[in-house]
Amino acid sequence: ALVPNPVLTRDGEGLNFAAEGIGLEGLGAGTANISINIGGPVQAAYLYWAGRTRPCDTNGTVQCIIPFEPYEDQELIFDGNPITGDIAGFESQLDTSLLSTDQDINNIGYLADVTAFVTGAGLQTFTIEDGDPGNNLFRLNGAALIVLYRDLSDRVSYRVMVYDGLDFAFGRNDQIPEARITT
């Protein structure tokens, strides 16, 4: 289930947000750029990223686990700064495809406070790199940057609420209906 992130639930005059995402499949040793247009002074900025590991680590049962931290792709380099994300959520996905080799999947989401690195207004571009090339998920799917800012020209008060966790949907899984729907 997704739950409100208390740090990203705010009220304020002119409060607004910007959000952008980028795919990270095939990142490898390369760099991805994420650009975002920030309309005023930054109040908070969070980077979210997610992927999947297959086969998943288990504890001797059929349930996927995260046996250690930092786990696979939990470390990134954001605009030249090493970051280690907190686990936003994870969910096991039983592989029921006809081509299955009994490799269950663990879908994992991370988040990190990057406010210290996202300070300017206007169009900003940030780089994303693998923080530990020897500790990777089967597939790193993508990342999203969410920035709360204050629009100085707007005198109306607003509430922004960001929910986080992990609710992964994968459209080709016909046998598990909840795997095709997000909250």
Side-chain angles (χ1 to χ4, degrees):
L2 303 181
V3 296
N5 179 326
V7 176
L8 292 175
T9 298
R10 296 188 181 199
D11 298 295
E13 187 176 284
L15 188 62
N16 208 327
F17 73 95
E20 289 295 334
I22 188 165
L24 295 177
E25 283 190 36
L27 179 66
T31 300
N33 293 318
I34 188 165
S35 296
I36 190 166
N37 194 4
I38 304 167
V42 174
Q43 307 297 298
Y46 271 73
L47 184 70
Y48 289 83
W49 65 99
R52 49 198 354 217
T53 190
R54 177 183 187 168
C56 68
D57 292 298
T58 65
N59 59 1
T61 68
V62 293
Q63 195 164 17
C64 297
I65 62 167
I66 297 176
F68 58 87
E69 289 190 56
Y71 195 61
E72 298 167 346
D73 280 322
Q74 193 168 357
E75 297 173 295
L76 292 180
I77 299 173
F78 179 78
D79 214 37
N81 302 285
I83 60 173
T84 300
D86 295 323
I87 296 172
F90 67 96
E91 63 185 23
S92 300
Q93 180 180 339
L94 187 63
D95 187 350
T96 58
S97 70
L98 295 176
L99 302 175
S100 173
T101 56
D102 293 323
Q103 293 185 339
D104 293 338
I105 300 166
N106 199 1
N107 302 302
I108 303 166
Y110 304 110
L111 72 131
D113 184 344
V114 294
T115 307
F117 315 121
V118 181
T119 57
L123 183 61
Q124 304 286 322
T125 299
F126 303 95
T127 59
I128 298 174
E129 300 172 69
D130 190 338
D132 183 357
N135 190 22
N136 292 326
L137 294 167
F138 166 75
R139 179 175 294 133
L140 182 59
N141 292 100
L145 179 60
I146 298 176
V147 179
L148 274 60
Y149 66 89
R150 185 163 176 245
D151 179 347
L152 299 175
S153 67
D154 191 346
R155 297 290 184 219
V156 177
S157 281
Y158 300 95
R159 169 175 269 184
V160 174
M161 296 174 68
V162 175
Y163 284 68
D164 62 28
L166 181 79
D167 189 9
F168 193 87
F170 186 61
R172 291 187 283 181
N173 193 334
D174 293 330
Q175 304 197 0
I176 305 173
E178 58 273 10
R180 295 181 58 122
I181 301 167
T182 61
T183 299

